[in-house]
Amino acid sequence: MYMLKRDKKEDEEGGGNPFHNMEKSSVLQEARTFNDTPINTRKCCHILTKVLYLINQGEHIGTTEATEAFFAMTKLFQSKDITLRRMVYLCIKEMSKIAEDVIIVTSSLTKDMTGKEDLFRAPAIRALCTITDTSMLQGVERYLKQAIVDKAHSVSSAALTSALHLSKTSNEVVKRWVNEAQEAVNSDSVMVQYHALGLLYHIRKSDRLAVTKMVSKFTRHSLKSPYAYCLLIRIACKLLQEEDAGTDSPMFDFIESCLRHKSEMVIYEAAHAIVNMKHTSAKELTPAVSVLQLFCSSPKPTLRFAAVRTLNKVAMKHPSAVTACNLDLENLITDVNRSIATLAITTLLKTGSEGSVDRLMKQISSFMSEISDEFKVVVVEAVRSICTKFPRKHSVMMNFLSSMLREEGGFEYKKAVVDTLINTVEDNPEAKDAGLAHLCEYIEDCEHTILHTRILHLLGREGPRTPNPAKYIRFIYNRVILENAAVRAAAVTALAKFGAHCEELLPSVLVLLQRSLLDTDDEVRDRATFYLEVLKQRQKSLNSAYILNGLQVSIVGLERALHNYTMEPSETPFDMKSVPLATQPMTEQKATPGGVAAGETPSTKPSDKAAASRQDIYAEQLAAVPELAALGPLFKSSNLPVELTESETEYVVRCVKHIFADYVVFQFDCTNTLNDQLLQNVTVHVEPSEGFAIMKYVPAPSLPYNTPGTTYTCVQLPDDPTQVTGNFTCTLKFLVKDCDPTTGEPDDEGYEDEYVLEDVELSVSDHVQKVIKPNFGASWEEVGPDNELEDTYSLSSMKTLEEAVKNIIHFMGMQPCERSDKVPEGKSSHTLYLAGVYRGGHDILVRAKLALSDGVTMQITVRSSDMHAAEVIATAVG
């Protein structure tokens, strides 16, 4: 009775899982039923369903168990029941990966595949192709080719899709089926035509000319399948992208013509393709936007959603192109589907005027609680763009974001809101107080440690510079009392920054830090002890170096330098200047023609070095070259290699510049693209500028076809410390040995040859490493006026302040501070703050006051811990 009640309750609730708590052993025991005579088809179908359920749930079935069940299952071929036979095909496909000797069913599947029952033929083909390898494929190839052009559409589609899967392992065999695939494209079935076109493209995709011809052919001959049209549009887009072709290409004309197709699916695919192209202007987007505008009033929710989501994406880059749709988007605000309404409002926020912001924000506030986190993030991103576009609306935006923080939501949603608030605080000085107040309120009830620490870091950086910094102390100290160790450590650091920056708060901060000395966590106690001792010295230089700005060294480089120091005992204290500065971590680069990816080093590093920066990798490589090991610590490596040849030439050479205290090492990454030549003893000879001296060449012993190799040229810097720039003429020299292109076997004799390369330039920025100074004012006072130089320049070629700022940063190779790289709109004057470290470990700071009149006038003030470094930077512009 209880069971009946429970089943009834489950039926009312929509039903439970009939396979819940099912055990693998009992199912495999039941599989023995397959051997019974006569076959109970209903029971066997149920057992096969259980087996499939176990496999799809990720249950591990041993090879022996799977093989036993598989062989028992083969007995079911005796039954002619259609449902049971199709369940058997499904199980064969799934169990072929775990059972042994599955090829035993090949003859049964081949018989079904060539039989008269169409309901057996299609699934039999799929199952057969799953268990077939390259050696066995020859035996059934004739049947598969016949199946591709079969009159039964389900059989033809099954053969085409199976061919696509087989091409992963037997591509050469599948390529021979191109004529059958070509014939199948003319089928009346929309799915057969689509699958046939997909197979044709897969066969020809490595031959761009063949793909281009295929697309041209099918654009002239009308296809019946809308799915095939969608695939053709995607292929055409890929060709346009690979050829970097413009809108005058016939491919683009074809895509645009699809906007007038009778199928809504094809029309949307064409509009989506045009919108996502890289080089389309607002004018070229107009026909696609017009089509999407029509879809906005469609009775189908899927079309409305697709249209408004695509328009939302267009509005990010070309808001003016979407303005024509504003009326249609306004009508969608009241759409019953909240996802469509949300996207409509966020699109209007990007395209609308400043006056419409308040009304739209009120409308979206009314249903924020009804939409999912995914769409809440879309709203937050729209609010972020408004804060940038209309800075004066910051108060409305801040209140809206603050209310969003108080609502329920996941981490990604809360992170998006916090990121937007932080960006607004950093970009808009008027919004700083309100933004910090909202964030302080949020951390009182924040569940996420990462967001806690980010907000505390922001408070430590921005709070001390507000008119009333004391009001933030309470919120920060509450975190020291109430939160976990990671948050307490961040709060201690934030408190120390208030003490370092605000003298009037220092006594209070010292008392609060004193209480943290007894914390249960080591990290919190260590931080409190360290900051307490530094603050007690009451020295601005110490506060700036160890609290406000901190160390900016490479962790990997610091570890290596300390290890080397301990291995070689010395009475001289450890010098932090010997540690390389922190740079960007190594990121994955896409391969480029010529063998080595742009920005990559030729050697492959193990995975545990993945977090190491590019400079750490280079330092390790250079230390491994005996001729270069004694040059001292590496100061800087250029970010990206300089191309010294065209990518299509017979030899591809890239140069990376490595700067040491007294030397420059040019690393030349060379690739030989001729398969009938072997290069030996490869070097790059350099003619240096006056004052520079060549010290040594490190040749690449051998350069086989398409295998990258590296050669080094070491140059000593001039004795004059202010002479740092120069131009170097480069020539690739090598011994050529002709070789057999197929075997790679070289001749015994060779001949000397050379190849002229582009010049390499050494500029001021090569001698400067970027460093971030969160508190530029404290750093400026720390360096002091002892080595201060000032000069005025007229930058007549610069027409705007933005252009001047961009060029100065690029030329000097320094890090902009205090967000001074962004020039406020409508300003005719601006101050740019730059920070860096000059070769040799000397801090260098620049304050450039810019004024716009006829061109740009710049008054530059340079401070450094070394007079020569200050002189180099101060005279660099002139």
Side-chain angles (χ1 to χ4, degrees), residues 68-348:
E68 285 177 8
F70 185 85
F71 272 83
M73 189 175 64
T74 58
K75 302 286 178 65
L76 301 178
F77 273 101
Q78 296 170 21
S79 171
K80 297 296 181 185
D81 185 84
I82 293 172
T83 306
L84 179 60
R85 183 67 62 88
R86 296 185 76 176
M87 286 296 293
V88 169
Y89 295 141
L90 278 175
C91 280
I92 288 171
K93 284 171 65 179
E94 293 298 328
M95 296 188 76
S96 64
K97 301 162 191 169
I98 47 179
E100 290 180 339
D101 299 324
V102 289
I103 57 172
I104 198 167
V105 293
T106 302
S107 59
S108 299
L109 290 172
T110 307
K111 184 181 174 184
D112 284 354
M113 181 178 79
T114 55
K116 293 180 181 179
E117 180 60 72
D118 285 346
L119 287 173
F120 288 174
R121 292 171 67 202
I125 289 170
R126 292 193 186 94
L128 182 63
C129 290
T130 307
I131 65 170
T132 303
D133 59 17
T134 308
S135 59
M136 293 169 55
L137 189 57
Q138 309 284 348
V140 294
E141 183 181 3
R142 178 165 58 91
Y143 303 121
L144 287 170
K145 287 169 81 171
Q146 287 171 359
I148 289 174
V149 292
D150 198 275
K151 290 179 183 177
H153 297 152
S154 60
V155 175
S156 184
S157 267
L160 287 163
T161 51
S162 297
L164 269 170
H165 290 299
L166 284 169
S167 64
K168 296 171 187 174
T169 53
S170 312
N171 196 36
E172 291 305 315
V173 178
V174 174
K175 279 183 178 179
R176 298 202 292 261
W177 306 350
V178 67
N179 291 334
E180 285 75 16
Q182 192 81 48
E183 190 177 335
V185 175
N186 301 319
S187 169
D188 293 334
S189 166
V190 292
M191 290 310 294
V192 171
Q193 198 173 61
Y194 167 59
H195 290 141
L197 183 64
L199 181 60
L200 270 180
Y201 172 66
H202 196 81
I203 290 170
R204 295 173 175 173
K205 67 180 179 182
S206 55
D207 184 351
R208 187 185 293 177
L209 183 61
V211 174
T212 307
K213 284 181 178 177
M214 183 186 82
V215 174
S216 300
K217 176 187 172 183
F218 290 121
T219 52
R220 289 194 302 271
H221 299 86
S222 179
L223 294 164
K224 292 181 181 178
S225 169
Y227 305 107
Y229 259 111
C230 290
L231 179 60
L232 205 58
I233 289 168
R234 292 185 183 188
I235 296 168
C237 277
K238 197 166 188 293
L239 287 171
L240 281 171
Q241 188 179 343
E242 287 172 357
E243 294 168 4
D244 205 21
T247 52
D248 54 348
S249 166
M251 298 288 176
F252 184 84
D253 294 338
F254 160 68
I255 295 169
E256 195 171 36
S257 71
C258 289
L259 292 171
R260 296 176 288 279
H261 197 272
K262 60 184 178 183
S263 167
E264 291 169 336
M265 183 198 305
V266 176
I267 295 169
Y268 175 72
E269 186 67 41
H272 181 266
I274 292 171
V275 162
N276 284 284
M277 284 179 191
K278 287 182 181 176
H279 306 300
T280 44
S281 63
K283 183 182 176 183
E284 288 145 2
L285 285 172
T286 305
V289 171
S290 300
V291 165
L292 294 170
Q293 185 177 3
L294 289 172
F295 283 174
C296 284
S297 53
S298 168
K300 299 177 182 176
T302 48
L303 274 181
R304 296 200 304 275
F305 178 79
V308 75
R309 186 161 198 172
T310 309
L311 287 171
N312 191 284
K313 191 178 285 186
V314 178
M316 292 179 186
K317 285 187 179 178
H318 303 282
S320 57
V322 186
T323 309
C325 307
N326 278 7
L327 188 60
D328 300 88
L329 292 168
E330 290 269 4
N331 295 333
L332 290 177
I333 291 176
T334 54
D335 197 284
V336 289
N337 186 315
R338 289 309 190 197
S339 300
I340 294 172
T342 305
L343 287 166
I345 290 180
T346 51
T347 308
L348 283 168

Side-chain angles (χ1 to χ4, degrees), residues 825-842:
E825 282 187 30
K827 296 285 184 180
S828 59
S829 61
H830 181 66
T831 303
L832 174 65
Y833 301 110
L834 300 172
V837 173
Y838 186 75
R839 174 173 49 82
H842 307 295

Side-chain angles (χ1 to χ4, degrees), residues 443-444 452 456 472-496 509 511-521 524-525 527-528 531:
I443 59 172
E444 291 290 336
H452 249 134
L456 288 168
Y472 302 110
I473 298 292
R474 171 172 62 88
F475 296 101
I476 296 172
Y477 189 65
N478 281 350
R479 310 283 66 74
V480 177
I481 301 169
L482 302 171
E483 301 295 343
N484 59 45
V487 177
R488 294 202 303 274
V492 164
T493 301
L495 281 174
V509 169
V511 172
L512 296 176
L513 289 175
Q514 192 84 34
R515 294 176 186 173
S516 296
L517 294 177
L518 300 176
D519 195 276
T520 55
D521 185 75
V524 179
R525 287 199 306 274
R527 286 194 188 197
Y531 292 139

